Amino acid sequence: GGSLQSDGIVDVGNTAFAVADGELVVADGGELVVDGGDHRFGSLRLQPGSIFDFRSGSLNVAGGTLGITTDNFAYGSSNGLSTIDFSDGGVGEVVEFWRVGDLANTAGKTIVRDPGSRLANLAGGANADIFVGSSGDGFMEVLDGGLVDSNDDITLGERSGSLGSALVRGKVDGQRASLIAGDAIGNVLIVGLQGDGDLTVADGGLASAGDDVLVAWTGLGTGLVTVSGAAGDGTKATLSAGEDLLIGANEGAPIVDRGVGVVRILGGGEVDVNDLTLVGPTDQILLQGGTLRTGRLDLAGDPTRLDWQAGVLELDQSGLVIHQPGTLGETLTLATDMS
C-alpha cells in the first residue's frame, strides 16, 4: 500500500520494477524513464507537467490504474518494442491523445485484455483521439472482454510511412472485446489515413464508430479490414458504423482513387452499416460468408467491387446501386417496404 511521489527522475532501467499494491505518482517536473525490462504497477499516475520516457520494455498494469493527466501521451521504441499491457481489470485513463508508435522508426503496442480491463479517454472532444501507428508502427490488441473507448476518433495508420494494426478478439463472461470510436456523430474509425491500416475483428469481438468507418481514406493510405468468427455463444464478430462505411471513396464528392481498401467478411462475421456503403474505384468488399447489412450499397458502376462468394447481403433502405449487370451471389434480403 501507500504512495511514492516524485518530481525528479525515476529511472527503472532494464531491471524488473514493481509497485504491486501502492501507487507511483510522477508529479509536475518529474520524469519516469523505462528503458528495457518488464515492469508492473498497481497504480501509476502521470500528472500535468510530467514526462514519461518509454524507450523500450513492457509495463503491466494488472488490476490497477494508469492515470494520465499530462497532455498528448505517446510512446514507441526505436530499440525493440514498447508495450503497455492492461490485464485482470487494469484500467488506463487519459485526458488527451493516446499515440502508439508515435515517431518514425519506432514501434509500440497496447494490450487490453480480460473482462473489466479498459483504456478510456475521459475527456472526449477534439483532443480525445487514439492513434495506433502515428508516424511509426503501432499495434493494439483488445482481447477476451477488454475495452478500448476513445470517446472520439480512432485512427490506424495516421501519417505517411506508418503502420497501424488492431486485433479485436473474443468474448469472456458475457463481455465482448470492444474497440469503440465514440458513440456520436463526428466520431470516426479510420483504417489507413495516410499510412497503412489493418483491422481484424474475430471470435465475437466488436469494433464500432458513432459515425463513419473510413477505410483507405486518402490517396496515400491503404486499409484492410477482416471480420470473421463467432464466439462460443454464437455472438458474431461485428464491425458497426453509426452512419457510413466508405472504402477508398467519399460521399458527395467525385469518386476518385483515395487509396486501396479491402473489407473482407467471412463466416461468423457481420458488418452492420446504418446508412451508406460506398466502394471506390480500386477497392473491394469480399463477402465470403457472414453478413453485410447496410442501408444502401453503391458500387459506383462496377459490380466487381463486390466479390460475393458466400453469405448474406441485406439492404434495409432505398436500394442497391449497381449501374452495370453482374452476379451478386447467394442470398439477397430486402426490407418489406422496398419495391
Side-chain angles (χ1 to χ4, degrees), residues 85-91 111-120 140-149 167-180 204-207:
D85 187 347
F86 300 94
S87 63
D88 299 325
V91 174
I111 303 172
V112 184
R113 52 182 169 160
D114 307 323
S117 298
R118 60 183 174 88
L119 170 63
M140 177 169 282
E141 296 180 359
V142 189
L143 308 172
D144 300 332
L147 169 66
V148 173
D149 187 352
L167 170 64
V168 187
R169 184 184 69 204
K171 181 179 182 181
V172 173
D173 296 336
Q175 300 296 313
R176 306 172 77 177
S178 299
L179 179 69
I180 309 297
L206 169 67

Side-chain angles (χ1 to χ4, degrees), residues 140 156-157 163-167 191-192 196-200 222-226:
M140 177 169 282
L156 311 181
L163 169 65
S165 177
L167 170 64
V191 183
D196 298 329
D198 188 333
L199 171 64
T200 298
T222 67
L224 173 63
V225 178
T226 304

Side-chain angles (χ1 to χ4, degrees), residues 75-91:
Y75 70 97
S77 172
S78 58
N79 180 26
L81 183 69
S82 299
T83 301
I84 299 180
D85 187 347
F86 300 94
S87 63
D88 299 325
V91 174

Side-chain angles (χ1 to χ4, degrees), residues 91-172:
V91 174
E93 297 176 340
V94 295
V95 297
E96 280 205 5
F97 301 128
W98 178 279
R99 296 180 184 271
V100 190
D102 180 41
L103 301 178
N105 302 312
T106 67
K109 177 185 280 189
T110 301
I111 303 172
V112 184
R113 52 182 169 160
D114 307 323
S117 298
R118 60 183 174 88
L119 170 63
N121 197 305
L122 303 181
N127 293 333
D129 295 4
I130 291 175
F131 298 95
V132 182
S134 193
S135 290
D137 294 346
F139 305 90
M140 177 169 282
E141 296 180 359
V142 189
L143 308 172
D144 300 332
L147 169 66
V148 173
D149 187 352
S150 69
N151 279 314
D152 198 20
D153 302 345
I154 296 176
T155 300
L156 311 181
E158 180 190 7
R159 301 183 183 125
S160 179
S162 67
L163 169 65
S165 177
L167 170 64
V168 187
R169 184 184 69 204
K171 181 179 182 181
V172 173

Side-chain angles (χ1 to χ4, degrees), residues 152-277:
D152 198 20
D153 302 345
I154 296 176
T155 300
L156 311 181
E158 180 190 7
R159 301 183 183 125
S160 179
S162 67
L163 169 65
S165 177
L167 170 64
V168 187
R169 184 184 69 204
K171 181 179 182 181
V172 173
D173 296 336
Q175 300 296 313
R176 306 172 77 177
S178 299
L179 179 69
I180 309 297
D183 59 4
I185 296 298
N187 299 157
V188 299
L189 171 60
I190 303 174
V191 183
L193 182 58
Q194 295 181 350
D196 298 329
D198 188 333
L199 171 64
T200 298
V201 188
D203 302 337
L206 169 67
S208 72
D211 201 329
D212 297 339
V213 175
L214 310 173
V215 182
W217 185 232
T218 71
L220 298 174
T222 67
L224 173 63
V225 178
T226 304
V227 185
S228 69
D233 64 357
T235 300
K236 294 180 179 180
T238 304
L239 173 68
S240 177
E243 290 296 322
D244 301 334
L245 169 61
L246 306 178
I247 308 170
N250 186 10
E251 183 182 13
I255 297 179
V256 297
D257 184 10
R258 297 183 68 92
V260 178
V262 176
V263 174
R264 187 181 182 201
I265 310 167
L266 303 175
E270 180 174 270
V271 172
D272 195 347
V273 181
N274 185 55
D275 191 5
L276 172 67
T277 297

